[in-house]
Amino acid sequence: MRFRDRLDAGRHLADVLARADLPDCAVVVDALPRGGVPVGFEVAERLGAPLDVLVVRKLGVPFQPELAMGAIGEGEVRVENADVIRSAGLGSKDLEDAERRERPELERQAALYREGRSRVDVRGRCAIVVDDGIATGSSVRAACQVVRTLGAARIIVAVPVASRMAVTDLRGECDELVCIEVPEPFFAVGEWYRDFSQTHDDEVVDLLRRVAVDQQRAGDPGDEPNVTDVDDEVEVPIGGITLMGRLTIPPGPKGTVLFAHGSGSSRQSPRNRRVASVLQQAGLATLLLDLLTPAEELDHSSVFDVRLLAGRLGDATKWVAARPELDAVPIGYFGASTGAGAALWAAAQPDVCVAAVVSRGGRPDLAGPLLPVVTAPTLLIVGGRDGPVLEVNREAQAALRCPNELVVVPGATHLFEEAGALERVADLARDWFLSRLVAEAT
């Protein structure tokens, strides 16, 4: 099985764990940051368990950093690998020096990810240690040792994919190991994901915050922060089929932004979710929508059928506009890659009312002859190192007759994975939508 992304892998892993014979004691999902957190998020949501980061730093042998002579965790926890220390001819001072170097980074990460929340206590509980995959197993081994020292009654390691060697080695470190795929031969974790792009710190923070709010909602509704009025998975009926989406509505929304994803992506796209989070914080409702059914996603021709995608986006726009809480709220589109072509195509239709469009690394050329018909103010955002896409955006801008801008993010490639690049996209999109949608409302 090849997973679409880490969230998809987490759902598959959650299905397996939900059927497993878990112990009677309370469960805590401890995810290794950063890539393990999206996987752990889905597991925690399915099991109704708290999600926490298990911040661990390996203490590498000075002349061979990948070889761990120990590890440190929060609460001044330190575990030692006596065999490695002895065979490397090292002593306690070497271990202390390594801890002194690594401890500040561990504390920085823990503070950043939790935003002031306390660490979830694992004492007497079943700790499910989650990562996005295991190659050598050294990080997960250190995590197991740390969580055992913190007092976990039982440890389950749960991952979507791992090498056979790692699975064999780790069985002695945990009470149970759950792994969906153990391929042979095994080359790298990333080859088992269609999208294995880097997980960023702000995504980790967002996912931990969402689970914390859900847990608070379940435990004490009266103390729930008034972050959103609605934050639900929704079903959008369109032309005899049902499309899945994630609808988030903050109090008193200033506008609604529908996300049209690119080929091979979905409403779970970590990049679009990060942009959506910024828009939500600015008071905009968002709908992250799958424009294709799971079966259609396997058909390459459907992925690039922009007319089909645009028609569904237009129907979804009418569905959103009909919701009572979004009545008379202006609507915008955020399109990525091929989704940008679909967004512009839909915006050109006379029966679709759209007040603004933003394209991220988009293919506006796929809207072809309809570009001159678009009236909604359009912002085209392209990475400076995304040469071919930059060229088609310049040509598309020349064809547009609506108010428009082309912004090039210096040094960014097609997926905007470089430090600060996606944050720049989110800020540009937020400002564009606020200025256009608020103006439309007034």
Side-chain angles (χ1 to χ4, degrees):
M1 177 187 299
R2 196 160 178 252
F3 307 104
R4 183 163 58 194
D5 53 26
R6 290 179 177 88
L7 291 164
D8 178 56
R11 286 190 292 275
H12 285 285
L13 191 59
D15 288 342
V16 175
L17 288 165
R19 297 191 299 268
D21 185 19
L22 295 178
D24 293 333
C25 59
V27 169
V28 177
V29 177
D30 276 319
L32 273 66
R34 291 175 292 200
V37 174
V39 181
F41 170 79
E42 295 290 345
V43 172
E45 288 279 274
R46 178 67 177 276
L47 300 181
L51 172 68
D52 200 2
V53 280
L54 184 56
V55 186
V56 173
R57 302 291 293 182
K58 289 188 297 182
L59 304 180
V61 171
F63 51 83
Q64 193 176 349
E66 285 303 310
L67 179 59
M69 59 179 172
I72 56 172
E74 294 175 81
E76 301 302 318
V77 169
R78 186 177 80 190
V79 296
E80 304 177 8
N81 189 327
D83 291 339
V84 171
I85 294 171
R86 184 171 53 254
S87 62
L90 301 174
S92 59
K93 185 178 184 303
D94 298 291
L95 203 64
E96 291 166 1
D97 289 344
E99 179 175 3
R100 194 176 302 112
R101 290 192 301 270
E102 297 292 343
R103 180 68 64 182
E105 177 60 16
L106 181 145
E107 293 174 351
R108 183 199 71 81
Q109 287 184 340
L112 170 67
Y113 296 148
R114 292 206 184 91
E115 300 181 302
R117 293 184 297 272
S118 300
R119 175 168 53 86
V120 178
D121 194 350
V122 299
R123 286 178 296 180
R125 298 183 174 187
C126 172
I128 302 180
V129 177
V130 177
D131 205 354
D132 53 12
I134 307 174
T136 65
S138 57
S139 294
V140 175
R141 182 180 299 105
C144 290
Q145 293 169 348
V146 166
V147 82
R148 184 82 72 190
T149 304
L150 289 171
R154 184 173 177 82
I155 300 173
I156 299 174
V157 171
V159 292
V161 60
S163 68
R164 188 168 301 280
M165 177 189 69
V167 167
T168 301
D169 291 346
L170 282 170
R171 290 199 186 279
E173 299 289 349
C174 60
D175 299 293
E176 185 177 350
L177 192 146
V178 176
C179 182
I180 299 174
E181 296 288 344
V182 186
E184 193 69 50
F186 177 94
F187 297 107
V189 170
E191 69 175 336
W192 292 91
Y193 289 81
R194 292 207 294 269
D195 179 358
F196 197 63
S197 53
Q198 184 179 5
T199 301
H200 294 270
D201 285 340
D202 54 356
E203 183 182 355
V204 172
V205 170
D206 176 60
L207 293 173
L208 290 170
R209 184 190 301 135
R210 286 173 60 182
V211 174
V213 170
D214 287 347
Q215 292 284 320
Q216 188 173 30
R217 177 186 298 149
D220 189 355
D223 290 338
E224 180 186 345
N226 188 24
V227 178
T228 60
D229 284 344
V230 174
D231 185 19
D232 294 321
E233 289 285 302
V234 294
E235 296 182 351
V236 183
I238 291 177
I241 64 168
T242 300
L243 302 178
M244 299 302 299
R246 182 85 187 188
L247 178 65
T248 304
I249 306 177
K254 303 170 184 175
T256 304
V257 178
L258 278 71
F259 281 69
H261 309 289
S263 57
S265 191
S266 73
R267 71 187 187 283
Q268 306 292 357
S269 161
R271 285 174 289 278
N272 282 346
R273 287 174 60 163
R274 288 170 62 200
V275 174
S277 177
V278 172
L279 302 186
Q280 293 154 14
Q281 292 169 23
L284 296 168
T286 62
L287 175 62
L288 290 96
L289 182 67
D290 292 347
L291 292 174
L292 296 173
T293 66
E296 289 172 333
E297 288 177 353
L298 302 176
D299 181 358
H300 190 70
S301 61
S302 295
V303 170
F304 290 92
D305 188 343
V306 177
R307 182 191 296 270
L308 171 68
L309 301 178
R312 291 181 177 179
L313 183 60
D315 289 341
T317 304
K318 297 168 188 174
W319 178 86
V320 164
R323 290 184 66 97
E325 64 268 63
L326 296 174
D327 181 45
V329 173
I331 292 174
Y333 288 157
F334 183 94
S337 190
T338 54
L344 287 164
W345 189 301
Q349 304 308 309
D351 61 338
V352 177
C353 186
V354 178
V357 177
V358 173
S359 163
R360 169 182 67 82
R363 291 289 308 278
D365 56 303
L366 296 177
L370 294 180
L371 289 174
V373 185
V374 176
T375 59
T378 298
L379 173 64
L380 307 173
I381 307 173
V382 188
R385 293 167 57 196
D386 194 7
V389 172
L390 179 56
E391 184 59 32
V392 299
N393 273 260
R394 284 174 173 151
E395 293 173 358
Q397 184 187 27
L400 289 169
R401 298 292 177 264
C402 59
N404 64 82
E405 290 183 25
L406 171 62
V407 175
V408 179
V409 179
T413 50
H414 185 61
L415 295 180
F416 295 88
E417 295 180 298
E418 295 72 22
L422 195 59
E423 288 75 11
R424 174 65 173 153
V425 170
D427 290 345
L428 288 166
R430 176 199 60 208
D431 295 346
W432 188 265
F433 284 128
L434 286 178
S435 62
R436 271 70 184 179
L437 298 186
V438 172
E440 179 76 10
T442 56

